[in-house]
Amino acid sequence: MNSSPWSGPEAVRQLLELLEMERIEVNLFRAQNGPGRHVFGGQVLGQAIVAASRTVKDRALHSIHGYFLRPGDSEIPILFDVDRIRDGRSFTTRRVVGIQHGEAIFNMSSSFQKIEEGLEHTTDMPDVPGPDGLRPDAEYYREWVKKEPKARRFSWRYEAIDSRQIEGVQKRPRQAEEAKEPRRHTWMKTTAALPDDPVVHRAFLAYMSDMDFLSTSMMPHGPALSSMRLQAASLDHAIWFHREFRVDDWLLFAKESPRAAGARGFVRGCFFTPEGELVASAAQECLMRPRELSEIS
């Protein structure tokens, strides 16, 4: 078993600490990074949500639209600069820029709304098995780390997030022998209880939403990708929060990739409670560029 402090409930505590950013000016926050060579996009999303939320009172975040502009440097903190664009009667708008080495690595627009009621409808949750009886992804990754220690740079996330994939873990979608339908269903929750603060739950959901989005778009292309090198990265990420929820209770993340074109893959997903209520939706476009075409950045 991985003896790293990033394991089990301790990993949840560590993620909470990453979200407890230091306020160094009225609209400027400094955040640390988790382990690994690369800055995880879900971490940046969650931190940007917290930074924006700290400048808003009595309104709930209902949507974010973020762009990953440059790779992050895990060796130095990230500064989050919040622009208070608008405070309206019902809606509040914030722009957040993540900065490292004097350059923007991330840009996010976010919108907050005064709590109010209105017309409602929802789509049905997919008819899939529940989480009980499914193997936790963490067990699989602990075994994988024993064979490939470098996998620890991302496997620790599954110690903080109890992720259980109905279709099974797809460790290397780029080397799959068979093409598969680009659909995945994953039950997810934190491995320890979280504070009641809705901002924390939104930030954690943003983190969880980036854990296997990109790989979903690769599922139909396994045989082709096994014979080429691919430049892959998240380009943008959007989330719409429909209702309140808790991420320390089970949520089903249903994902599909309806299209890949122009060296980009598009993925969308929905988060459902076990009772079948749709509480959040997400979408992402990712870079899927054959390495021989990567001279243009």
Side-chain angles (χ1 to χ4, degrees), residues 23 27 30 32 35 46 64 105 111 132 137 142 148 155 157-158 178 182 193 197-198 205 230 232 239 242 288 291 296:
R23 185 192 293 267
N27 299 317
R30 178 163 48 207
Q32 303 301 320
I64 65 166
I105 65 167
S111 181
D132 294 340
D137 294 350
R142 288 173 196 150
E148 299 186 38
S155 65
R157 297 173 197 145
Y158 298 92
E178 299 179 359
D197 186 355
L205 184 139
L230 192 76
I239 306 176
H242 310 306
M288 296 170 56
R291 181 65 73 176
I296 303 175

Side-chain angles (χ1 to χ4, degrees), residues 3-286:
S3 60
S4 165
W6 289 80
S7 60
E10 178 64 15
V12 176
R13 189 186 68 80
Q14 296 277 12
L15 285 182
L16 279 169
E17 288 186 356
L18 291 182
L19 298 176
E20 288 295 325
M21 295 179 292
E22 177 188 2
R23 185 192 293 267
I24 59 178
E25 246 298 342
V26 175
N27 299 317
L28 191 63
F29 303 85
R30 178 163 48 207
Q32 303 301 320
N33 293 303
R37 292 184 304 164
H38 304 289
V39 177
F40 177 49
Q43 171 200 303
V44 179
L45 286 166
Q47 290 171 329
I49 285 174
V50 173
S53 298
R54 285 190 179 182
T55 69
V56 178
K57 293 183 179 180
D58 303 323
R59 299 194 175 183
L61 177 67
H62 73 89
S63 70
I64 65 166
H65 297 261
Y67 287 88
F68 300 100
L69 306 177
R70 294 180 175 88
D73 182 350
S74 63
E75 298 299 321
I76 66 171
I78 304 173
L79 295 181
F80 288 94
D81 188 4
V82 181
D83 184 1
R84 304 187 185 216
I85 293 178
R86 179 177 184 268
D87 291 292
R89 289 186 296 178
S90 298
F91 290 88
T92 293
T93 306
R94 295 289 184 264
R95 176 174 176 262
V96 184
V97 180
I99 303 168
Q100 285 186 319
H101 300 293
E103 296 183 316
I105 65 167
F106 178 75
N107 178 72
M108 185 183 83
S109 294
S110 56
S111 181
F112 299 75
Q113 182 187 12
K114 179 179 66 176
I115 302 299
E116 54 187 304
E117 297 297 325
L119 301 174
E120 291 195 23
H121 71 269
T122 186
T123 190
D124 293 334
M125 183 174 74
D127 185 12
V128 296
D132 294 340
L134 296 177
R135 187 187 188 194
D137 294 350
E139 294 182 4
Y140 178 89
Y141 283 105
R142 288 173 196 150
E143 295 176 358
W144 189 19
V145 165
K146 292 178 182 178
K147 300 176 182 179
E148 299 186 38
K150 291 182 179 180
R152 186 173 286 113
R153 67 182 184 270
F154 60 85
S155 65
W156 61 266
R157 297 173 197 145
Y158 298 92
E159 300 290 344
I161 308 299
D162 188 348
S163 171
R164 304 186 183 189
Q165 300 186 41
I166 292 173
E167 289 81 12
V169 174
Q170 190 176 16
K171 182 177 69 172
R172 296 185 178 182
R174 304 182 197 181
Q175 300 177 15
E177 296 180 357
E178 299 179 359
K180 297 184 178 181
E181 287 290 321
R183 293 183 178 86
R184 304 177 76 175
H185 302 84
T186 308
W187 287 100
M188 310 179 87
K189 71 178 183 69
T190 58
T191 54
L194 294 178
D196 292 335
D197 186 355
V199 173
V200 171
H201 290 264
R202 282 172 167 79
F204 264 81
L205 184 139
Y207 185 96
M208 293 158 58
S209 72
D210 197 36
M211 288 180 66
D212 58 3
F213 240 9
L214 189 152
S215 60
T216 302
S217 63
M218 297 182 185
M219 295 175 67
H221 308 287
L225 294 176
S226 63
S227 61
M228 71 170 65
R229 300 184 56 155
L230 192 76
Q231 183 181 9
S234 300
L235 296 175
D236 63 1
H237 200 107
I239 306 176
W240 296 264
F241 301 100
H242 310 306
R243 301 291 288 180
E244 296 299 326
F245 55 86
R246 296 191 67 92
V247 297
D248 48 10
D249 292 333
W250 285 115
L251 293 172
L252 175 68
F253 190 20
K255 295 148 284 185
E256 65 174 352
S257 177
R259 183 67 165 135
R264 304 183 312 276
F266 173 70
V267 191
R268 60 194 177 199
C270 297
F271 283 90
F272 295 90
T273 67
E275 294 74 31
E277 183 179 13
L278 176 62
V279 294
S281 300
Q284 183 182 97
E285 195 169 43
C286 51

